[in-house]
Amino acid sequence: MIWILVAVVVIALAVLVIVARKPRQEPGVASFRRHIDALSPEARREVMDRVRPPDSNQQEGQGN
Amino acid sequence: MARDLAIDLGTANTLVYMKGRGIVLNEPSVIALNRQTGEVLATGREAWQMIGRTPGYIVAVRPLRGGAITDFEITERMIRLLLQRVGVSRFTRPKVVICVPSAITEVERRAVTDAARRAGAADAQLIEQPMAAAIGADLPIDEPVGNMVIDIGGGTSETAVISLGGVVALEAVRVGSFDIDAAIQAYVRREHGIAIGERTAEEVKMAIGSAAPTDDESQAEVRGRDLMTGLPKTVVLTPEEIRFAIEDVVSSIIASVVRCLAKAPPELAQDFLVRGMYLVGGGGLLRGLAPRIERETQVPVKMSNMPLEAVVMGAGHCIEHYDALKTMFMGARRP
């Protein structure tokens, strides 16, 4: 029983050490990344598909 | 539960995008009022049909000029009626993102947000039209490359260079397609001695107006009131005449594009030669304008697939990703 407790404590300590050593992302970096990701073509596809008339898919790539 | 909205509150047309639904309203920014009682008689397309054709007690007006509110109370009433038409009530107050020209003053910004809040919005945020247009035109603005967008609206023309989700260079003039209509009206009055209304001038522009000679040119018969006799009169206008009439306005728009190009950093400027500039907005549909800009700037010009809807689509994208993109709103800290 005592060995299980010791193992749990050791694992918990190891996890804490790993988490503490992992470089944290700056809030500015995370915010900027989120901003840029939200402007990606994949993120915009939903709105474009919702508004674009069905027959204009063939023209995709010619202009935009 | 109210669905959040994006509004392109244009001088010519108002478009509304509803979160999760798409564009739910596209109407002229016109309101018709009873001059005596102050009652609203019509809005949108119905009111637009009344322009210049109303009896004395009715007035059909555009409450926005040059992208700015000229009559606060009427604008608020127009926004309230438009929001009611898309399902906003006293109990369902949505968040609203409104597209405005980048050149509007602090006072004009406050007038727009106050009008939206008083018309039923829980929160009103503003986004610059060129940024919304670039998002809506599907340009790769998330990449570190130069994207140039020219948005020619009813009352303003704005050119912006956008890279990595932000505006790098911007140039705006309070000149748009309504100034082209006004120039046609003034020319016909001066050279032919007849008065025509703004709707007729717009029809002339759409029929034979151009910024540069085109292959399919024809003449147009225009009917108006003879200024000398007061009788109805018909004159024939040629495309050359209209080009001459609107030259000052077209030159002013192109000069602002050139100024924006001059402001762009050299690293991005070279991207334009490869990628071109994108034209959006109703004014961009003027025949010969894209080739004329291309000729005068030596940069390829491409027409957006949905030039009239690009701005509201961009704002609609912002309402769909509100938290991630709220730094783009005017007055917010840029990332």
Side-chain angles (χ1 to χ4, degrees), chain B residues 12-311:
Chain B
N13 293 297
T14 299
L15 289 89
V16 179
Y17 177 101
M18 187 178 277
K19 187 176 180 179
R21 290 268 303 273
I23 297 172
V24 290
L25 188 135
N26 182 356
E27 297 264 330
S29 306
V30 185
I31 186 165
L33 300 160
N34 183 325
R35 212 191 280 267
Q36 287 150 2
T37 62
E39 277 178 315
V40 175
L41 303 177
T43 56
R45 195 153 288 113
E46 203 184 342
W48 177 79
Q49 285 168 344
M50 296 180 183
I51 290 177
R53 294 166 182 265
T54 53
Y57 75 96
I58 299 175
V59 57
V61 290
R62 292 184 187 275
L64 294 122
R65 285 278 165 194
I69 290 176
T70 52
D71 189 318
F72 182 82
E73 198 189 328
I74 292 178
T75 305
E76 184 194 320
R77 291 171 78 177
M78 190 181 78
I79 296 174
R80 189 189 299 275
L81 287 165
L82 292 173
L83 293 186
Q84 278 173 6
R85 281 171 66 177
V86 298
V88 174
S89 71
R90 192 174 300 179
F91 307 104
T92 58
R93 295 170 71 85
K95 274 199 295 247
V96 171
V97 172
I98 305 171
C99 309
V100 288
S102 48
I104 67 168
T105 63
E106 187 59 42
V107 174
E108 289 167 340
R109 281 185 208 177
R110 196 164 302 152
V112 176
T113 49
D114 285 355
R117 286 195 182 114
R118 288 171 64 170
D123 182 31
Q125 296 290 341
L126 306 181
I127 182 169
E128 292 164 329
Q129 272 170 0
M131 177 54 94
I135 299 171
D138 215 3
L139 304 187
I141 57 168
D142 56 318
E143 295 172 18
V145 293
N147 295 282
M148 193 157 176
V149 64
I150 307 165
D151 177 17
I152 303 175
T156 55
S157 298
E158 303 182 68
T159 311
V161 175
I162 295 162
S163 176
L164 277 173
V167 174
V168 179
L170 183 76
E171 189 63 39
V173 281
R174 292 208 180 198
V175 170
S177 53
F178 282 135
D179 297 279
I180 293 177
D181 301 344
I184 293 171
Q185 270 183 296
Y187 175 84
V188 174
R189 174 181 278 268
R190 192 176 62 242
E191 299 296 324
H192 295 275
I194 69 165
I196 60 168
E198 64 179 88
R199 276 183 57 188
T200 305
E202 188 183 2
E203 282 165 14
V204 170
K205 175 187 70 184
M206 289 164 77
I208 61 167
S210 61
T214 55
D215 294 333
D216 53 338
E217 295 204 324
S218 58
Q219 299 182 332
E221 268 190 2
V222 179
R223 294 172 191 86
R225 177 170 49 81
D226 192 310
L227 292 169
M228 295 292 283
T229 64
L231 298 173
K233 186 180 169 186
T234 302
V235 294
V236 175
L237 295 173
T238 64
E240 290 83 22
E241 279 184 286
I242 300 302
R243 273 199 293 279
F244 174 76
I246 67 175
E247 179 55 31
D248 284 351
V249 181
V250 172
S251 299
S252 158
I253 293 168
I254 296 172
S256 78
V257 174
V258 172
R259 284 198 299 275
C260 189
L261 277 168
K263 282 183 183 174
E267 288 290 349
L268 295 181
Q270 61 177 343
D271 292 339
F272 309 144
L273 292 170
V274 180
R275 310 173 68 85
M277 303 188 270
Y278 283 83
L279 202 50
V280 302
L285 297 171
L286 180 71
R287 270 187 294 273
L289 184 60
R292 169 95 183 261
I293 297 173
E294 196 167 315
R295 197 179 68 220
E296 296 201 13
T297 59
Q298 302 294 308
V299 175
V301 178
K302 297 170 186 174
M303 199 72 205
S304 163
N305 280 345
M306 298 181 73
L308 301 172
E309 294 86 3
V311 171

